[in-house]
Amino acid sequence: MKNIILLLSLVLLNSCATVKFKEKWLKEEAPISFKARFETTKGNFDIVARRPWSPKGVDRLYQMIKHNYYTDVAIFRVVPEFVAQFGIHNDSIINNSWRKGIDDEPALAKNDSMAISFARGGKRTRSNQIFINLKDNNRLDTIEYSDVKGFPVIAKVIAGQENILKFYDGYGDKLGRRQDSINKYGNAFLMKNYPKVDYIKKAYILK
């Protein structure tokens, strides 16, 4: 009986995972250019993404927006005069499904103020976390570490910059060092211990 219950539980779990994520989504190609809107707890901002800047990176951004990844996603790392970073999903199944790294690419566009790039810590580590430059961070175009060079820009903010600058930054880089806990416990950990964190409520492609 216990084995039957276990089997049914596994089937149910796999069924939920299939609904939340499909491997084929990772093969979808973005248009040459697209615009999207992010609704946040501080107001909306709009972006434009251009595939020639970073084809693999723009494809991943497009895939995540198209398939509703950015729902109640914490803007957990806001470092004044540097970056606002987000991308850890509250649902561990969704979060882990999108953590498969994409191929590395050269940094072609500049990490100017309001340019958006994927966070990464080495080869093939661009996956589900992105950051918005809060000022011109051009050193990020050429910085070398862990066998990779620079942070390829995938998009730029074209409206709502003033709302991005309202994101709560009082925690500074503290939550950048608590990512294990955010990954493990999700938004409940943040709401309990860091209640002023802002959130992406949803994001969608603009026609």
Side-chain angles (χ1 to χ4, degrees), residues 127-145:
S127 58
N128 62 342
Q129 289 198 45
I130 62 177
F131 64 84
I132 305 172
N133 288 284
L134 301 181
K135 68 166 189 174
D136 290 346
N137 288 319
N138 298 140
R139 68 184 181 85
L140 298 183
D141 303 338
T142 57
I143 190 170
E144 296 187 48
Y145 66 100

Side-chain angles (χ1 to χ4, degrees), residues 31-198:
I32 191 72
S33 176
F34 70 89
K35 294 179 180 179
R37 175 162 296 159
F38 287 73
E39 297 185 5
T40 84
T41 46
K42 286 295 194 295
N44 300 347
F45 68 88
D46 296 347
I47 68 165
V48 60
R50 304 194 187 282
R51 199 165 185 271
W53 289 340
S54 174
K56 296 294 185 183
V58 174
D59 284 351
R60 176 57 63 87
L61 178 66
Y62 175 77
Q63 294 157 7
M64 291 196 295
I65 295 174
K66 179 181 176 182
H67 296 291
N68 303 310
Y69 181 84
Y70 295 105
T71 302
D72 297 324
V73 171
I75 308 164
F76 69 91
R77 181 180 181 235
V78 184
V79 184
E81 295 296 312
F82 185 40
V83 299
Q85 184 172 331
F86 53 92
I88 300 176
H89 202 282
N90 182 51
D91 186 313
S92 60
I93 293 175
I94 296 175
N95 187 60
N96 292 333
S97 296
W98 288 96
R99 290 181 74 178
K100 181 179 179 180
I102 60 176
D103 291 339
D104 296 309
E105 298 172 309
L108 300 179
K110 292 186 175 298
N111 280 275
D112 291 334
S113 179
M114 296 296 151
I116 301 172
S117 299
F118 274 98
R120 67 175 176 179
K123 287 185 175 181
R124 288 184 57 83
T125 56
R126 295 188 301 166
S127 58
N128 62 342
Q129 289 198 45
I130 62 177
F131 64 84
I132 305 172
N133 288 284
L134 301 181
K135 68 166 189 174
D136 290 346
N137 288 319
N138 298 140
R139 68 184 181 85
L140 298 183
D141 303 338
T142 57
I143 190 170
E144 296 187 48
Y145 66 100
S146 299
D147 297 320
V148 292
K149 181 178 180 179
F151 291 82
V153 169
I154 54 171
K156 295 192 177 183
V157 178
I158 56 174
Q161 293 93 333
E162 69 280 4
N163 294 326
I164 291 170
L165 295 176
K166 294 176 186 175
F167 294 157
Y168 183 75
D169 61 11
Y171 302 129
D173 202 24
K174 183 181 297 185
L175 285 171
R177 298 186 291 271
R178 302 298 308 273
Q179 293 187 45
D180 287 347
S181 294
I182 303 172
N183 276 297
K184 185 174 182 179
Y185 301 112
N187 292 348
F189 166 78
L190 293 170
M191 291 175 181
K192 178 180 179 180
N193 300 288
Y194 302 92
K196 294 185 178 181
V197 164
D198 283 296

